[in-house]
Amino acid sequence: MNDRMQAYVGLLVAAVRNRPAAIPTVSGTGALVAVGAFLLQVRAQTVVGSSRTAIILSAEPLFAAATAAVVVGERLTTSGWIGAALIMVGMYVVLAFSPAEQADLVAAESVSDAH
């Protein structure tokens, strides 16, 4: 664990030790953030369409690795870089070589009663 991460954990532990009442607040905030992220994802899926949403969500490991690099200072191994490259290549293949009929389907999916 690097210094920055130790500082974050130390602040959290100090807050809980000094104010046990902070536990419900921290837990509630975490739950609200998780629910809010889920609701935003559902709303975005009605706008963008399920096919494109699936492609975007397949990049989640890349976002997780980037966040870990920034927040915790982790670095990818060779196999991690190979996996990231395979994810990017897969996304490119799906987007670049999908038939024109599928592009029309994606456009049709983005029109829903939610608008």
Side-chain angles (χ1 to χ4, degrees):
M1 199 179 326
N2 68 11
D3 293 338
R4 185 184 303 173
M5 188 63 172
Q6 287 176 343
Y8 291 141
V9 171
L11 284 173
L12 182 60
V13 169
V16 171
R17 279 189 186 161
N18 293 332
R19 296 188 180 159
I23 294 172
T25 304
V26 171
S27 300
T29 302
L32 286 175
V33 169
V35 168
F38 179 74
L39 292 175
L40 283 172
Q41 176 184 335
V42 169
R43 174 67 179 144
Q45 190 169 342
T46 63
V47 175
V48 176
S50 59
S51 299
R52 287 189 181 166
T53 302
I55 293 167
I56 292 168
L57 290 178
S58 68
E60 184 176 356
L62 300 176
F63 293 121
T67 302
V70 171
V71 175
V72 185
E74 288 190 17
R75 298 291 175 241
L76 287 178
T77 61
T78 303
S79 61
W81 282 109
I82 292 170
L86 288 173
I87 291 171
M88 296 300 290
V89 167
M91 291 173 60
Y92 173 77
V93 167
V94 169
L95 288 172
F97 299 110
S98 60
E101 306 89 48
Q102 188 177 3
D104 294 338
L105 177 63
V106 171
E109 287 175 345
S110 65
V111 177
S112 70
D113 295 336
H115 295 96

